[in-house]
Structures are given as structure tokens and as C-alpha cells.
Amino acid sequence: MEEKKQRAPLISVEHCSFAYEGAEAPAVRDVSLSLQQGEFLAVLGRNGSGKSTLAKLLNALYLPTEGRVLVNGMDTADEARLWDIRQCVGMVFQNPDNQIVATMVEEDVAFGLENMGVPTEEIRPRVQEALHAVGLEAFAQSAPHMLSGGQKQRVAVAGVLAMKPRVLVLDESTAMLDPMGRRDVFSTVRRLNREEGISVVWITHFMEEAAQADRVLAMQDGAIKMEGAPRVLFSQVERLREIGLDVPAAAALAHALRQAGVDIPEGILTPEEMVEAVCRLHWNA
Ligand code: ADP
Ligand code: MG
């Protein structure tokens, strides 16, 4: 029984649809997915494909118009569990500046806890722990507006972490950052996933980020069109292009070379793997 409980998905989306009021077509249609404990799931899709709407269904910011969402067994439509659901599934959004509410980093991270009514003596250690987890303990007393975009996003992540969620949902949280900030935020969240076992839903349009997920979903017109491990998904170059998505640069090059008759293996994702494959060609020639 215990074992069975542990294997149940943390989030289970069952045939969910969602339509905005007055909209002609639903923004999310008949989506089913499950997120396992400790999993790092990336969600891809062009603008307007329904990614943000799906994200908001995951922690009861929106309720499905059809189907249901279970978070750790709790139905998001169950108002009595709203607080537990929001505490379990933390969200980080795109614009770091819209998420900062205080004039000092540690106050900002404490904000959610204060709202939750966490006792004052418990707040400080939790804030410190959360800042440590994102590598910003040295900035506890800094003014958020002095930080880089990537650091601000890590403050936002810390604010969510302080609530001790089981799942982090990040909706294009690297979209407004420079390449360094992007890497910084991505690697922080990837590490939290690996080391702390926090499950992650990583919404992005950067293929290189999705390539590092455990599993990738690709959406189009509100529906999930493709799903699989990055190596499997990104080897389906033509299908991805049909739904308006690209593949990581190394995978695209590998595909082009294979099409030109060069003997390159399938499943290449990174520049390093590409280099290795090309070197092997050279040795075999
Ligand atoms: P994505 O995050 O993939 O860009 P969204 O979930 O934001 O996609 O949008 C999905 C669809 O829903 C789009 O057609 C978009 O125009 C529409 N939409 C998004 N937000 C709203 C809203 N607040 N009201 C009405 N329609 C919306
Ligand atoms: Mg969006």
C-alpha cells in the first residue's frame, strides 16, 4: 500500500479542457498527462499553443472546464484544498520584475511565508535555507533592483521554495534573461530537481533547455502533439517542424548530415555528442 502510494503521480491531468470566456476555441483541449515524483518535465510549443493556460491549471489558478486535475490526490476543484494545492505546486513566471514585492531580497523571499501565517521565528531559517538553495545567501540584504535578471529570477524561485513545494512550475522563466542569466536559472532549478528531488514543469521555447529534461511534451493548438524522452523526441525533426518547433542546433545538424548520406547516429543532442560522432567518422574513414 505504502509503495503504491509513492508511485502515484504527483500531478495527474485527466482529459482537461479549458476555454476562456467568449473565446471561440478552447485554449487547452483534452490534455492528459502525469508528472511523477522527482521528474523534470519540459513543455514546448509555439506562442498561443496553450502552455501558460496548462500551467495555471496545475495549481488551481484556473479550473478545467472539462476533465480534472489531481495534485497529490487532491482535486483542484475542491475549494477546501486550495491552500494545500497552491503550497504543493509553486509557480514562477516570466517577468522577474513583476514578481518582486519587497525592497530587500530576504523580505521578498519571506513575503509568501508571512502571508501564509508562518510563525516569525520559523520564517528566518526558511528564508535562509531557500536563499542558500539558489546560491544567493550573500544577497539577503541587497535591494532586488540591484540584481541581474537571472538573480532576480532566482529570488523568485527562492520565494517559492521557502513554501516547501513538491513541484515547481516555471513558465518561460528564462525568456527575458540574457544567455548567462538563462543558464544560471536553468542550472539552479535542474540542481534543485536532482539534489532535492523537487519535481519540475519547465515551460520554455529554448530547445537546448528542453534537451536536458527527463521528458518533453510538445503542444500545438491546446493539445499535446508529441511526448517522449528528449533523444527520442528531437530525432523526429520533420514532425517537430510541422508543429512549428525546431530542434537543438546539434540535433538539426545531425539530421541534415544524415539526410545528406553521412553516417551519423540518431539521438544526438549536444555539440559534444556531435563532435564525438564526427571524430568517429574521421577515424573510420
Ligand atoms: P502560450 O503560453 O503557449 O503562449 P496561452 O496559454 O497563453 O499560450 O494561450 C493559449 C490561447 O489562449 C491563445 O489563443 C491565447 O490567445 C488565448 N488566451 C490566453 N490568455 C487569454 C485570456 N486571458 N483571455 C482570452 N484568451 C486568452
Ligand atoms: Mg505563455
Side-chain angles (χ1 to χ4, degrees):
M1 187 64 201
E2 224 13 64
E3 207 177 326
K4 209 169 173 190
K5 245 191 208 160
Q6 282 174 1
R7 278 201 209 127
L10 208 43
I11 297 185
S12 167
V13 176
E14 300 173 353
H15 298 287
C16 269
S17 297
F18 180 88
Y20 288 98
E21 229 173 273
E24 271 173 33
V28 162
R29 42 180 111 203
D30 196 22
V31 163
S32 294
L33 69 92
S34 53
L35 180 75
Q36 298 301 323
Q37 212 141 153
E39 191 176 23
F40 193 111
L41 175 71
V43 180
L44 290 171
R46 298 190 66 164
N47 271 344
S49 59
K51 304 181 298 298
S52 295
T53 308
L54 175 63
K56 288 172 183 152
L57 287 165
L58 300 180
N59 79 340
L61 282 174
Y62 293 161
L63 295 178
T65 32
E66 274 171 66
R68 63 173 190 169
V69 178
L70 298 180
V71 170
N72 208 12
M74 301 175 280
D75 191 325
T76 58
D78 181 357
E79 261 180 65
R81 309 308 297 274
L82 187 62
W83 157 245
D84 295 318
I85 289 162
R86 297 258 170 92
Q87 191 269 326
C88 185
V89 183
M91 297 265 276
V92 179
F93 297 97
Q94 189 179 91
N95 188 339
D97 292 315
N98 292 349
Q99 296 173 80
I100 285 170
V101 292
T103 52
M104 203 194 283
V105 166
E106 61 184 5
E107 285 168 10
D108 197 83
V109 176
F111 184 76
L113 296 177
E114 280 162 6
N115 270 356
M116 250 166 85
V118 172
T120 321
E121 65 276 13
E122 211 183 293
I123 290 182
R124 180 162 279 274
R126 276 171 76 166
V127 167
Q128 272 169 353
E129 195 185 329
L131 281 173
H132 176 73
V134 301
L136 287 177
E137 57 272 69
F139 294 84
Q141 324 246 306
S142 303
H145 72 264
M146 300 299 286
L147 304 181
S148 70
Q151 288 170 328
K152 283 185 211 169
Q153 280 300 49
R154 281 152 64 203
V155 172
V157 171
V160 174
L161 278 182
M163 323 267 271
K164 300 195 184 291
R166 312 259 312 260
V167 185
L168 283 177
V169 178
L170 298 103
D171 188 0
E172 301 208 36
S173 299
T174 58
M176 299 179 73
L177 307 179
D178 60 26
M180 216 170 86
R182 223 148 68 203
R183 270 199 301 276
D184 205 24
V185 173
F186 183 84
S187 60
T188 300
V189 174
R190 196 68 181 90
R191 179 175 49 75
L192 287 168
N193 165 258
R194 288 211 168 102
E195 291 175 6
E196 316 284 334
I198 296 179
S199 309
V200 175
V201 177
W202 183 272
I203 298 171
T204 187
H205 58 255
F206 295 109
M207 303 301 146
E208 274 72 14
E209 294 175 352
Q212 296 177 62
D214 297 326
R215 189 157 61 100
V216 186
L217 299 179
M219 293 185 72
Q220 184 189 34
D221 292 335
I224 295 175
K225 289 291 163 77
M226 293 173 73
E227 194 242 311
R231 268 178 220 293
V232 177
L233 190 111
F234 287 127
S235 60
Q236 297 166 264
V237 178
E238 311 297 348
R239 261 194 86 196
L240 278 164
R241 287 188 177 148
E242 273 167 29
I243 62 173
L245 293 173
D246 223 326
V247 297
L253 178 56
H255 178 73
L257 287 172
R258 262 202 315 279
Q259 295 245 301
V262 182
D263 184 19
I264 295 272
E266 282 207 15
I268 285 182
L269 275 183
T270 66
E272 292 74 21
E273 290 166 2
M274 189 70 218
V275 168
E276 206 188 307
V278 170
C279 287
R280 213 171 275 142
L281 274 181
H282 178 77
W283 286 114
N284 292 343

